[in-house]
């Protein structure tokens, strides 16, 4: 067998090429949006994709696994978190084969064309009626194990989102703990998430906190406007906005539970633009102020007073006003956009325009992909030249 000599520099060079890889994350950047569809008058999924690409919103969460939606996101460069609704938890927790089939049918079948980056197992399961609490952990484990067996666990993150109903004594932030009736479910769930590297997902609404505590909370503090803020007497930390305080309350509860290194991600936050007579804070002006200032806050890519190195990431709620949502009028009016795709108020996004103009625009994903291709081409050309040289 003929042997040949390879220059040591070339071996080092090839090792460098081999080490180049793309790290898959469930959240790119700091800003995302929830795509709720409890409405009968909103844009089609294909039109929503056009709207989101024009707005350059890359991270998207849905609350189910609707195939029409998943297909619409195929080849778009947008990154999707699909949801397993609460009513599916019982079956998913009881049967590992069921979980495997669900993952195959609703996640694996659409990869890699649709960039499914996460699965949200239930929504706000704990802290309420306990109807589904006992099923959550096993559902999470079965879905994760199915992903792992399919060699997808490195690419698709498993999480579940919590409301603030899981906390007790959330102000000042350092006093926050998990409620006694939640701990029995929360502790083993956090242990598993710690093992697989999943974050703690929190739905945090300064709007709701203000509505329930108008006499105690300055609305400017809730809207990211200039204010005296609030001080935590234990940590001596100062807070100039309510969302940061809500996030740090979660970090405090996690630390006391033994999970101080776990990241907190905001999976829902927003402000209603219209409400009932007793919801005076639900105005278009306040909603614009909150969401505009939230974008500015996230764009700074900084942490909170208690966790300054953990960059805050948030999904705003939501794309649309949803006319079929039950409850108070405010519940129907969290959308940044009206059902026809026009803006609810101006925070820098453009409304939907029915045209093919967006097809000529390269998404950030496509530009980066092109850049990587060019970089690899250059590297391989240099490597070939080195082989000939040495």
């Amino acid at each position: 067998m003929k042997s040949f000599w390879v220059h040591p520099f070339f071996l080092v060079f090839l090792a460098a090429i081999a080490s180049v890889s793309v790290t898959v994350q469930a959240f790119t950047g700091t800003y995302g949006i929830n795509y709720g569809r409890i409405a009968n008058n909103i844009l089609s999924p294909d039109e929503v994709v056009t709207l989101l690409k024009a707005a350059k919103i890359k991270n998207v969460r849905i609350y189910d696994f609707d195939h029409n939606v998943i297909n619409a996101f195929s080849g778009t460069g947008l990154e999707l978190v699909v949801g397993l609704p609460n009513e599916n938890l019982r079956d998913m927790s009881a049967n590992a084969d069921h979980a495997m089939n669900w993952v195959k049918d609703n996640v694996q079948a659409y990869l890699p064309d649709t960039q499914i980056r996460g699965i949200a197992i239930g929504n706000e399961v704990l802290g309420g009626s306990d109807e589904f609490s006992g099923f959550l952990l096993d559902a999470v484990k079965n879905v994760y194990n199915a992903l792992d067996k399919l060699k997808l666990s490195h690419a698709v993150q498993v999480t579940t989102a919590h409301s603030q109903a899981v906390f007790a004594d959330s102000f000042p932030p350092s006093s926050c703990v998990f409620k006694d009736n939640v701990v029995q479910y929360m502790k083993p769930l956090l242990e598993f998430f710690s093992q697989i590297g999943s974050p703690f997902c929190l739905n945090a609404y300064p709007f709701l906190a203000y509505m329930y505590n108008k006499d105690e909370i300055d609305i400017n503090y809730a809207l990211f406007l200039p204010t005296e803020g609030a001080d935590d007497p234990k940590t001596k930390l100062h807070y100039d906005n309510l969302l940061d305080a809500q996030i740090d309350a979660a970090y405090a509860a996690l630390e006391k539970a033994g999970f101080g290194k776990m990241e907190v991600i905001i999976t829902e936050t927003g402000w209603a633009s219209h409400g009932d007579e007793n919801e005076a804070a639900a105005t278009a002006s306040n909603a614009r102020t909150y969401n505009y200032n939230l974008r500015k806050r996230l764009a700074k890519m900084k942490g909170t007073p208690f966790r300054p190195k953990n960059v805050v990431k948030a999904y705003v709620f939501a794309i649309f006003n949803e006319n079929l949502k039950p409850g108070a009028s405010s519940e129907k009016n969290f959308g940044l956009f009206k059902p026809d795709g026009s803006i609810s108020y101006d925070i820098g996004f453009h409304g939907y325009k029915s045209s093919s103009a967006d097809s000529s625009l390269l998404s950030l994903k496509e530009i980066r992909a092109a850049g990587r291709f060019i970089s690899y081409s250059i590297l391989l050309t240099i490597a070939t030249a080195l082989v000939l040289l040495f």
Side-chain angles (χ1 to χ4, degrees), residues 169-183:
D169 303 321
S170 59
F171 187 83
S174 62
S175 68
C176 189
V177 294
F178 291 110
K179 287 180 177 176
D180 291 340
N181 64 336
V182 168
V183 171

Side-chain angles (χ1 to χ4, degrees), residues 28-316:
T28 301
T30 61
Y31 191 88
I33 200 163
N34 287 279
Y35 178 13
R37 306 190 318 282
I38 306 177
N40 60 7
N41 58 352
I42 58 177
L43 298 179
S44 70
D46 287 330
E47 292 169 328
V48 169
V49 165
T50 299
L51 179 67
L52 294 175
K53 291 186 74 174
K56 295 182 173 58
I57 300 176
K58 185 170 186 166
N59 304 289
V60 186
R61 295 177 78 245
I62 60 175
Y63 293 89
D64 56 17
F65 47 93
D66 185 280
H67 290 185
N68 290 327
V69 175
I70 298 174
N71 272 320
F73 280 77
S74 176
T76 64
L78 303 180
E79 300 187 353
L80 192 65
V81 174
V82 299
L84 181 71
N86 292 358
E87 55 267 26
N88 294 80
L89 296 183
R90 184 190 299 269
D91 290 341
M92 206 63 66
S93 69
N95 193 322
D97 290 336
H98 187 175
M100 175 62 77
N101 291 333
W102 185 90
V103 170
K104 285 181 177 178
D105 293 343
N106 300 292
V107 178
Q108 185 185 43
Y110 296 93
L111 295 171
D113 294 339
T114 298
Q115 296 184 26
I116 299 175
R117 293 289 184 251
I119 304 172
I121 311 297
N123 185 52
E124 299 186 349
V125 175
L126 304 183
S129 67
D130 282 347
E131 180 181 1
F132 303 108
S133 298
F135 308 120
L136 180 58
L137 178 60
D138 286 339
V140 165
K141 286 183 175 180
N142 283 343
V143 170
Y144 176 80
N145 289 337
L147 289 169
D148 200 41
K149 289 178 181 178
L150 295 171
K151 303 194 183 308
L152 295 174
S153 60
H154 68 288
V156 182
Q157 190 177 70
V158 176
T159 60
T160 189
H162 304 286
S163 75
Q164 292 200 304
V166 300
F167 300 131
D169 303 321
S170 59
F171 187 83
S174 62
S175 68
C176 189
V177 294
F178 291 110
K179 287 180 177 176
D180 291 340
N181 64 336
V182 168
V183 171
Q184 61 176 318
Y185 303 111
M186 185 66 76
K187 190 73 178 290
L189 182 67
L190 294 176
E191 287 174 350
F192 185 69
F193 279 159
S194 180
Q195 292 170 14
I196 66 175
S198 291
F200 182 87
C201 294
L202 176 66
N203 297 343
Y205 286 90
F207 167 73
L208 296 177
Y210 171 75
M211 289 288 292
Y212 296 141
N213 301 276
K214 295 176 186 176
D215 295 333
E216 300 176 16
I217 297 176
D218 179 0
I219 193 169
N220 290 335
Y221 181 61
L223 292 172
F224 301 97
L225 291 174
T227 176
E228 292 183 359
D231 294 311
D232 189 316
K234 181 178 178 180
T235 62
K236 310 300 182 185
L237 295 172
H238 177 76
Y239 292 88
D240 59 16
N241 71 82
L242 181 51
L243 183 63
D244 277 7
Q246 290 178 323
I247 295 170
D248 276 355
Y251 276 125
L254 287 168
E255 186 170 271
K256 291 172 186 174
F259 301 94
K261 295 182 179 180
M262 186 171 287
E263 180 185 18
V264 173
I265 290 180
I266 300 300
T267 36
E268 287 183 19
T269 190
W271 198 286
S273 60
H274 180 73
D276 295 323
E277 288 185 7
N278 63 340
E279 299 177 304
T283 67
S285 176
N286 286 341
R288 179 197 176 280
T289 299
Y290 181 80
N291 283 297
Y292 178 76
N293 288 333
L294 174 67
R295 284 191 73 195
K296 289 201 304 181
R297 165 68 180 86
L298 297 174
K300 292 178 181 177
M301 300 190 70
K302 70 174 187 176
T304 59
F306 190 54
R307 288 287 187 268
K309 294 182 180 180
N310 290 9
V311 174
V312 175
K313 304 171 185 175
Y315 291 89
V316 68

Side-chain angles (χ1 to χ4, degrees), residues 307-334:
R307 288 287 187 268
K309 294 182 180 180
N310 290 9
V311 174
V312 175
K313 304 171 185 175
Y315 291 89
V316 68
F317 188 86
I319 298 179
F320 295 116
N321 291 335
E322 299 173 76
N323 67 328
L324 298 183
K325 287 198 76 173
S329 294
S330 60
E331 287 289 330
K332 302 175 176 65
N333 290 283
F334 274 88

